[in-house]
Amino acid sequence: MQEIPRTTKKNPKALLVEGGGMRGAFAGGVLSAMCKLYPASNFDILLGVSAGSCSLAYYATEDRRNYQSHRHIPSIWKHELHGHKFISIRNLFRGHTILNQKYLIDDLIFRKYRLNLKKLKKKIRTPFYITVSNLKSLKPEYIRINDKNILPILKAATSLPLATKGRFVFNNSIYSDGGITDPLPIRALIEAGYKDITIILNHSREYFSLPLNKFLTFFSFPFHSNIRHYLRNEHHLKYNDAKSLLLNPPSDVRLQIMDPSESIPVKITSTVQKDIVALFDHGMEIAEKFFKKRIE
Protein backbone atom coordinates (compact mmCIF):
# COMPACT_ATOMS: atom_id res chain seq x y z
CA MET A 1 0.00 0.00 0.00
CA GLN A 2 1.32 3.44 -0.93
CA GLU A 3 0.84 6.06 1.77
CA ILE A 4 1.70 9.75 2.08
CA PRO A 5 5.27 9.90 3.46
CA ARG A 6 5.53 11.60 6.83
CA THR A 7 6.97 15.08 6.37
CA THR A 8 10.06 16.24 8.24
CA LYS A 9 9.57 19.90 7.34
CA LYS A 10 8.69 22.59 9.83
CA ASN A 11 5.21 24.09 9.27
CA PRO A 12 4.59 22.14 6.04
CA LYS A 13 1.77 23.31 3.75
CA ALA A 14 -0.53 21.04 1.77
CA LEU A 15 -3.08 21.59 -0.97
CA LEU A 16 -5.97 19.12 -1.21
CA VAL A 17 -8.38 19.11 -4.17
CA GLU A 18 -11.62 17.11 -3.94
CA GLY A 19 -13.16 15.30 -6.92
CA GLY A 20 -16.82 15.34 -7.86
CA GLY A 21 -17.14 14.77 -11.61
CA MET A 22 -18.43 17.85 -13.39
CA ARG A 23 -18.67 19.69 -10.07
CA GLY A 24 -14.89 19.74 -10.43
CA ALA A 25 -15.43 22.80 -12.62
CA PHE A 26 -15.28 24.81 -9.39
CA ALA A 27 -11.80 23.45 -8.57
CA GLY A 28 -10.82 24.10 -12.20
CA GLY A 29 -11.68 27.78 -11.78
CA VAL A 30 -9.85 27.99 -8.46
CA LEU A 31 -6.71 26.32 -9.80
CA SER A 32 -6.72 28.39 -12.99
CA ALA A 33 -6.59 31.53 -10.86
CA MET A 34 -3.98 30.00 -8.53
CA CYS A 35 -1.61 29.40 -11.46
CA LYS A 36 -0.95 33.14 -11.47
CA LEU A 37 -1.84 34.18 -7.93
CA TYR A 38 -0.33 31.42 -5.81
CA PRO A 39 1.89 28.88 -7.65
CA ALA A 40 2.49 25.31 -6.52
CA SER A 41 5.90 26.19 -5.07
CA ASN A 42 4.07 27.73 -2.10
CA PHE A 43 3.05 24.22 -0.98
CA ASP A 44 5.05 21.22 0.24
CA ILE A 45 2.62 18.66 -1.19
CA LEU A 46 -0.28 18.56 -3.67
CA LEU A 47 -2.96 15.89 -3.32
CA GLY A 48 -5.84 15.34 -5.75
CA VAL A 49 -8.88 13.06 -5.79
CA SER A 50 -10.79 11.92 -8.89
CA ALA A 51 -11.68 14.80 -11.26
CA GLY A 52 -9.76 17.19 -9.01
CA SER A 53 -6.58 15.39 -10.05
CA CYS A 54 -6.96 16.49 -13.67
CA SER A 55 -7.04 20.23 -12.98
CA LEU A 56 -4.41 19.77 -10.27
CA ALA A 57 -2.10 18.11 -12.82
CA TYR A 58 -2.06 21.36 -14.81
CA TYR A 59 -1.44 23.43 -11.67
CA ALA A 60 1.40 21.10 -10.62
CA THR A 61 3.10 21.46 -14.02
CA GLU A 62 2.53 25.18 -14.64
CA ASP A 63 5.44 27.05 -16.21
CA ARG A 64 5.37 30.65 -14.99
CA ARG A 65 7.19 31.83 -18.10
CA ASN A 66 4.14 31.34 -20.32
CA TYR A 67 1.20 30.41 -18.04
CA GLN A 68 0.19 27.58 -20.33
CA SER A 69 -1.89 25.81 -17.65
CA HIS A 70 -3.70 29.04 -16.80
CA ARG A 71 -4.98 29.00 -20.39
CA HIS A 72 -5.53 25.27 -20.76
CA ILE A 73 -7.69 24.69 -17.66
CA PRO A 74 -10.47 27.13 -18.68
CA SER A 75 -10.31 25.99 -22.32
CA ILE A 76 -11.09 22.42 -21.28
CA TRP A 77 -13.81 23.20 -18.75
CA LYS A 78 -15.56 25.90 -20.75
CA HIS A 79 -15.37 24.50 -24.27
CA GLU A 80 -14.64 20.76 -24.30
CA LEU A 81 -16.82 18.96 -21.74
CA HIS A 82 -20.39 20.07 -22.39
CA GLY A 83 -23.17 18.50 -24.45
CA HIS A 84 -22.37 15.05 -25.85
CA LYS A 85 -18.62 15.61 -26.16
CA PHE A 86 -17.59 13.94 -22.90
CA ILE A 87 -20.55 12.38 -21.09
CA SER A 88 -23.25 10.70 -23.16
CA ILE A 89 -25.17 7.46 -23.39
CA ARG A 90 -24.31 7.64 -27.11
CA ASN A 91 -20.70 6.81 -26.24
CA LEU A 92 -21.77 3.20 -25.64
CA PHE A 93 -22.60 2.88 -29.34
CA ARG A 94 -19.17 4.24 -30.27
CA GLY A 95 -17.25 1.65 -28.28
CA HIS A 96 -16.61 3.92 -25.31
CA THR A 97 -18.00 4.19 -21.78
CA ILE A 98 -20.65 6.77 -20.84
CA LEU A 99 -17.86 9.00 -19.54
CA ASN A 100 -15.32 8.93 -22.36
CA GLN A 101 -11.95 8.67 -20.62
CA LYS A 102 -10.07 8.42 -23.90
CA TYR A 103 -11.45 11.80 -24.95
CA LEU A 104 -10.62 13.45 -21.62
CA ILE A 105 -7.21 11.93 -20.87
CA ASP A 106 -5.72 10.93 -24.23
CA ASP A 107 -7.24 13.50 -26.58
CA LEU A 108 -7.46 16.59 -24.38
CA ILE A 109 -4.92 16.33 -21.55
CA PHE A 110 -2.17 14.54 -23.49
CA ARG A 111 -2.69 15.94 -27.00
CA LYS A 112 -4.73 19.09 -27.56
CA TYR A 113 -3.85 20.74 -24.24
CA ARG A 114 -0.61 18.97 -23.47
CA LEU A 115 0.61 18.82 -19.91
CA ASN A 116 4.12 20.10 -19.32
CA LEU A 117 5.57 16.67 -18.49
CA LYS A 118 9.12 18.09 -18.34
CA LYS A 119 8.11 19.76 -15.08
CA LEU A 120 7.44 16.36 -13.53
CA LYS A 121 11.03 15.27 -14.27
CA LYS A 122 12.51 18.04 -12.15
CA LYS A 123 13.70 17.07 -8.69
CA ILE A 124 13.10 20.54 -7.24
CA ARG A 125 9.33 20.78 -7.43
CA THR A 126 6.35 20.30 -5.17
CA PRO A 127 5.51 16.57 -4.81
CA PHE A 128 2.21 15.77 -6.53
CA TYR A 129 0.10 12.83 -5.35
CA ILE A 130 -3.15 11.32 -6.60
CA THR A 131 -5.51 9.23 -4.49
CA VAL A 132 -6.76 5.95 -5.98
CA SER A 133 -8.74 3.04 -4.53
CA ASN A 134 -7.24 -0.44 -4.52
CA LEU A 135 -10.22 -2.65 -5.33
CA LYS A 136 -8.63 -5.78 -3.87
CA SER A 137 -7.80 -4.36 -0.44
CA LEU A 138 -10.56 -1.70 -0.50
CA LYS A 139 -7.98 0.75 0.84
CA PRO A 140 -6.86 4.10 -0.54
CA GLU A 141 -3.41 4.50 -2.03
CA TYR A 142 -1.65 7.82 -2.51
CA ILE A 143 0.64 7.59 -5.51
CA ARG A 144 3.37 10.13 -6.22
CA ILE A 145 3.13 11.31 -9.81
CA ASN A 146 5.97 11.47 -12.32
CA ASP A 147 6.17 11.78 -16.09
CA LYS A 148 5.97 7.99 -16.53
CA ASN A 149 2.92 7.14 -14.38
CA ILE A 150 0.72 10.19 -14.76
CA LEU A 151 -1.36 8.88 -17.70
CA PRO A 152 -2.38 5.53 -16.15
CA ILE A 153 -2.94 7.06 -12.70
CA LEU A 154 -5.19 9.79 -14.10
CA LYS A 155 -7.18 7.05 -15.82
CA ALA A 156 -7.40 5.10 -12.58
CA ALA A 157 -8.42 8.20 -10.64
CA THR A 158 -11.22 9.01 -13.08
CA SER A 159 -12.55 5.44 -13.30
CA LEU A 160 -15.94 6.39 -11.92
CA PRO A 161 -18.29 3.52 -11.12
CA LEU A 162 -21.12 3.16 -13.65
CA ALA A 163 -19.90 6.07 -15.83
CA THR A 164 -16.78 4.08 -16.81
CA LYS A 165 -15.72 0.47 -16.34
CA GLY A 166 -14.97 1.47 -12.75
CA ARG A 167 -11.50 -0.03 -12.76
CA PHE A 168 -8.04 0.39 -14.30
CA VAL A 169 -5.15 -2.08 -14.10
CA PHE A 170 -1.71 -0.63 -13.33
CA ASN A 171 1.38 -2.44 -12.00
CA ASN A 172 -0.65 -5.62 -11.43
CA SER A 173 -3.11 -3.81 -9.17
CA ILE A 174 -6.73 -2.98 -9.95
CA TYR A 175 -7.52 0.63 -9.13
CA SER A 176 -10.59 2.83 -9.23
CA ASP A 177 -11.62 6.36 -8.31
CA GLY A 178 -9.93 7.42 -5.07
CA GLY A 179 -13.23 8.90 -3.94
CA ILE A 180 -14.52 5.39 -3.23
CA THR A 181 -12.20 4.73 -0.27
CA ASP A 182 -11.00 8.22 0.73
CA PRO A 183 -13.16 10.92 -0.87
CA LEU A 184 -11.61 13.73 1.18
CA PRO A 185 -8.22 12.64 2.61
CA ILE A 186 -7.76 15.34 5.23
CA ARG A 187 -6.98 12.80 7.94
CA ALA A 188 -4.28 11.16 5.80
CA LEU A 189 -2.51 14.52 5.41
CA ILE A 190 -2.75 15.33 9.12
CA GLU A 191 -1.38 11.89 10.05
CA ALA A 192 1.53 12.54 7.67
CA GLY A 193 2.37 15.70 9.65
CA TYR A 194 0.73 18.44 7.58
CA LYS A 195 -0.81 21.08 9.85
CA ASP A 196 -1.51 23.89 7.37
CA ILE A 197 -3.88 22.55 4.70
CA THR A 198 -5.68 24.47 1.95
CA ILE A 199 -8.74 22.56 0.73
CA ILE A 200 -10.75 23.00 -2.48
CA LEU A 201 -14.17 21.34 -2.15
CA ASN A 202 -16.78 20.52 -4.78
CA HIS A 203 -19.73 21.06 -2.40
CA SER A 204 -20.20 23.59 0.40
CA ARG A 205 -18.44 22.79 3.65
CA GLU A 206 -21.83 22.12 5.30
CA TYR A 207 -22.74 19.40 2.77
CA PHE A 208 -22.84 15.83 4.12
CA SER A 209 -23.39 12.62 2.16
CA LEU A 210 -26.26 10.15 2.34
CA PRO A 211 -25.75 6.38 1.86
CA LEU A 212 -25.61 5.28 -1.79
CA ASN A 213 -28.64 3.33 -2.95
CA LYS A 214 -28.62 -0.38 -3.83
CA PHE A 215 -29.51 0.20 -7.49
CA LEU A 216 -26.49 2.47 -8.08
CA THR A 217 -24.04 0.24 -6.25
CA PHE A 218 -25.29 -2.92 -7.97
CA PHE A 219 -24.86 -1.54 -11.48
CA SER A 220 -21.51 0.00 -10.52
CA PHE A 221 -20.00 -3.32 -9.42
CA PRO A 222 -22.46 -6.13 -10.29
CA PHE A 223 -19.89 -8.91 -9.78
CA HIS A 224 -18.22 -7.61 -6.60
CA SER A 225 -20.45 -7.87 -3.54
CA ASN A 226 -17.68 -6.73 -1.18
CA ILE A 227 -17.27 -3.44 -3.09
CA ARG A 228 -21.03 -2.93 -3.20
CA HIS A 229 -21.24 -3.51 0.54
CA TYR A 230 -18.45 -0.98 1.13
CA LEU A 231 -20.11 1.64 -1.06
CA ARG A 232 -23.48 1.25 0.66
CA ASN A 233 -22.26 1.01 4.23
CA GLU A 234 -18.86 2.69 4.53
CA HIS A 235 -18.40 5.31 1.80
CA HIS A 236 -20.71 7.99 3.22
CA LEU A 237 -19.32 7.44 6.74
CA LYS A 238 -15.76 8.05 5.46
CA TYR A 239 -16.86 11.21 3.67
CA ASN A 240 -18.88 12.55 6.60
CA ASP A 241 -16.03 11.82 9.01
CA ALA A 242 -13.76 13.96 6.84
CA LYS A 243 -16.35 16.75 6.75
CA SER A 244 -16.69 16.64 10.55
CA LEU A 245 -12.91 16.88 10.85
CA LEU A 246 -12.95 19.78 8.41
CA LEU A 247 -15.47 21.69 10.53
CA ASN A 248 -13.77 20.79 13.83
CA PRO A 249 -10.04 20.32 13.20
CA PRO A 250 -7.49 19.65 15.97
CA SER A 251 -6.31 22.78 17.73
CA ASP A 252 -2.84 22.60 16.13
CA VAL A 253 -4.18 22.22 12.58
CA ARG A 254 -5.03 25.16 10.32
CA LEU A 255 -7.53 24.41 7.54
CA GLN A 256 -8.26 27.01 4.86
CA ILE A 257 -11.26 26.19 2.72
CA MET A 258 -12.53 27.26 -0.67
CA ASP A 259 -16.00 25.88 -1.35
CA PRO A 260 -18.74 26.64 -3.89
CA SER A 261 -22.26 27.90 -3.53
CA GLU A 262 -24.89 25.15 -3.82
CA SER A 263 -27.04 27.47 -5.96
CA ILE A 264 -25.29 26.57 -9.25
CA PRO A 265 -27.10 23.45 -10.56
CA VAL A 266 -24.13 21.28 -11.60
CA LYS A 267 -24.19 17.60 -10.72
CA ILE A 268 -21.57 14.89 -11.18
CA THR A 269 -22.66 14.18 -14.78
CA SER A 270 -24.00 17.61 -15.82
CA THR A 271 -23.51 18.56 -19.47
CA VAL A 272 -25.10 22.05 -19.66
CA GLN A 273 -22.38 24.43 -20.81
CA LYS A 274 -23.72 27.61 -19.19
CA ASP A 275 -23.92 25.90 -15.79
CA ILE A 276 -20.43 24.43 -16.06
CA VAL A 277 -19.03 27.81 -17.10
CA ALA A 278 -20.88 29.53 -14.23
CA LEU A 279 -19.38 27.11 -11.69
CA PHE A 280 -15.90 27.53 -13.19
CA ASP A 281 -16.15 31.33 -13.08
CA HIS A 282 -17.45 31.08 -9.51
CA GLY A 283 -14.27 29.16 -8.61
CA MET A 284 -12.06 31.83 -10.18
CA GLU A 285 -13.89 34.56 -8.28
CA ILE A 286 -13.57 32.72 -4.95
CA ALA A 287 -9.84 32.13 -5.52
CA GLU A 288 -9.16 35.74 -6.48
CA LYS A 289 -10.80 36.99 -3.28
CA PHE A 290 -9.12 34.31 -1.16
CA PHE A 291 -5.57 34.93 -2.40
CA LYS A 292 -5.93 38.69 -2.61
CA LYS A 293 -6.23 38.65 1.19
CA ARG A 294 -3.15 36.40 1.47
CA ILE A 295 -1.05 38.60 -0.79
CA GLU A 296 -2.08 41.76 1.07
Side-chain angles (χ1 to χ4, degrees):
M1 182 185 298
Q2 301 191 53
E3 299 182 348
I4 301 171
R6 186 164 182 82
T7 182
T8 57
K9 293 186 177 182
K10 186 177 180 180
N11 301 319
K13 295 182 178 181
L15 173 66
L16 170 60
V17 183
E18 190 182 7
M22 297 307 293
R23 287 198 64 83
F26 176 80
V30 171
L31 290 165
S32 180
M34 286 176 66
C35 285
K36 282 197 170 186
L37 297 174
Y38 205 78
S41 57
N42 286 287
F43 297 100
D44 298 293
I45 189 172
L46 310 173
L47 177 60
V49 182
S50 192
S53 303
C54 296
S55 294
L56 187 58
Y58 283 104
Y59 178 70
T61 59
E62 176 67 291
D63 186 339
R64 300 203 79 194
R65 291 171 297 182
N66 58 25
Y67 291 109
Q68 176 177 284
S69 293
H70 176 71
R71 298 191 302 272
H72 285 352
I73 298 173
S75 293
I76 291 173
W77 279 106
K78 291 188 174 187
H79 305 295
E80 304 289 0
L81 303 180
H82 64 278
H84 299 292
K85 291 183 175 183
F86 176 43
I87 301 173
S88 175
I89 197 73
R90 298 178 186 178
N91 288 334
L92 296 174
F93 302 101
R94 301 167 183 154
H96 304 297
T97 51
I98 294 172
L99 184 153
N100 189 345
Q101 278 185 304
K102 180 183 181 299
Y103 173 69
L104 174 65
I105 307 296
D106 296 272
D107 297 345
L108 295 181
I109 296 178
F110 281 86
R111 290 197 185 98
K112 189 172 182 179
Y113 305 99
R114 288 184 63 85
L115 283 169
N116 181 13
L117 296 182
K118 291 181 180 179
K119 188 77 177 282
L120 293 174
K121 296 180 181 179
K122 295 182 179 180
K123 293 183 178 180
I124 304 174
R125 64 176 181 84
T126 304
F128 170 33
Y129 287 79
I130 291 178
T131 307
V132 293
S133 296
N134 187 311
L135 292 183
K136 184 176 181 180
S137 66
L138 281 180
K139 299 289 185 182
E141 294 191 18
Y142 312 95
I143 299 178
R144 183 166 181 176
I145 300 305
N146 56 50
D147 62 307
K148 299 293 192 300
N149 69 6
I150 186 168
L151 183 134
I153 296 304
L154 280 178
K155 287 188 175 181
T158 55
S159 291
L160 302 174
L162 202 60
T164 72
K165 294 179 180 178
R167 60 189 63 80
F168 190 86
V169 179
F170 177 66
N171 280 354
N172 298 316
S173 293
I174 304 174
Y175 292 119
S176 189
D177 185 341
I180 292 175
T181 53
D182 200 354
L184 193 57
I186 303 169
R187 195 174 296 279
L189 284 169
I190 293 174
E191 290 175 353
Y194 293 89
K195 301 297 179 70
D196 187 340
I197 307 172
T198 300
I199 303 167
I200 306 173
L201 299 175
N202 68 55
H203 280 287
S204 71
R205 64 194 75 186
E206 291 85 13
Y207 173 86
F208 281 77
S209 177
L210 295 173
L212 297 175
N213 65 59
K214 289 185 178 182
F215 176 85
L216 177 63
T217 57
F218 176 80
F219 282 99
S220 296
F221 293 99
F223 306 110
H224 300 277
S225 59
N226 60 329
I227 303 175
R228 295 200 305 270
H229 182 272
Y230 183 92
L231 284 170
R232 286 199 303 269
N233 298 288
E234 303 292 336
H235 174 267
H236 68 288
L237 298 179
K238 191 78 179 274
Y239 180 80
N240 293 342
D241 173 70
K243 275 298 188 71
S244 296
L245 181 61
L246 182 148
L247 295 174
N248 299 283
S251 58
D252 61 339
V253 173
R254 180 188 186 215
L255 301 182
Q256 301 188 86
I257 305 163
M258 284 176 277
D259 55 342
S261 165
E262 295 291 338
S263 63
I264 302 174
V266 175
K267 299 186 182 301
I268 290 176
T269 56
S270 291
T271 58
V272 180
Q273 185 178 25
K274 66 179 181 61
D275 294 336
I276 297 168
V277 170
L279 188 57
F280 183 94
D281 290 342
H282 178 48
M284 286 199 72
E285 181 182 2
I286 292 290
E288 287 166 358
K289 291 179 180 177
F290 184 90
F291 287 103
K292 184 179 180 181
K293 293 178 182 178
R294 278 196 175 189
I295 294 168
E296 290 175 350

